[in-house]
Amino acid sequence: MPIMNWDSSLDIGVSSMNEEHKRILDAMNRVYDAAQAGKTGDEINLLVERLGAICVRHFADEEAFMASIGFPGLYNHKFIHVDLLERFATHADAIKAAGGRTNDAFFHFLTHWLSVHIKAIDGKYGAHAAGGTCAA
């Protein structure tokens, strides 16, 4: 059972980025489902690593997209991405040190990050891409 599902509130109006957000959710749900099934060790560590790689790729794609549309908040958005990846790495390292055992804090971080970041932060470049007003 997924920890978080895609819904219309996560639609930022940019189909390519929506698809990448869906891939992140799918990878996050795979980690969650495996953890709920009692999986640990290399299986969890590989799933967490895959999720991290998807996020790194997405952030690069997202930053390239923002640059292509002249999004004025790109500079600040990059710093947010750096912070998120550092926080993700801290969680991933703790999971690895625990033998591939996840914890509630990791999943809270992911769900909170995805929900807030997509709706409040990514929505700004979505509005900019659509020609609406955008506060950087």
Side-chain angles (χ1 to χ4, degrees):
M1 177 180 219
I3 191 170
M4 186 174 172
N5 289 307
W6 175 265
D7 65 45
S8 62
S9 74
L10 298 172
D11 183 346
I12 63 165
V14 179
S15 61
S16 61
M17 294 299 107
N18 283 341
E19 290 306 312
E20 289 192 18
H21 290 152
K22 289 175 186 177
R23 280 194 286 279
I24 293 170
L25 283 172
D26 180 59
M28 179 185 72
N29 285 327
R30 287 177 190 262
V31 177
Y32 182 75
D33 289 346
Q36 291 299 109
K39 306 291 184 184
T40 60
D42 289 342
E43 186 170 353
I44 291 291
N45 288 329
L46 288 172
L47 289 169
V48 170
E49 185 178 310
R50 179 177 177 267
L51 173 58
I54 290 169
C55 291
V56 167
R57 170 68 190 250
H58 167 65
F59 289 165
D61 290 348
E62 193 171 67
E63 290 169 10
F65 176 77
M66 287 185 278
S68 77
I69 62 169
F71 178 61
L74 173 59
Y75 183 76
N76 290 334
H77 205 117
K78 284 183 177 186
F79 280 110
I80 292 168
H81 285 166
V82 168
D83 177 61
L84 289 171
L85 288 175
E86 287 173 356
R87 292 169 54 203
F88 181 90
T90 298
H91 283 284
D93 289 346
I95 291 166
K96 188 175 279 188
R101 287 177 186 81
T102 60
N103 55 51
D104 290 341
F106 176 63
F107 292 113
H108 175 76
F109 161 71
L110 291 174
T111 56
H112 180 75
W113 155 37
L114 285 169
S115 179
V116 171
H117 185 82
I118 292 172
K119 291 176 186 178
I121 307 298
D122 291 351
K124 292 178 182 180
Y125 75 74
H128 182 79
T133 58
C134 166

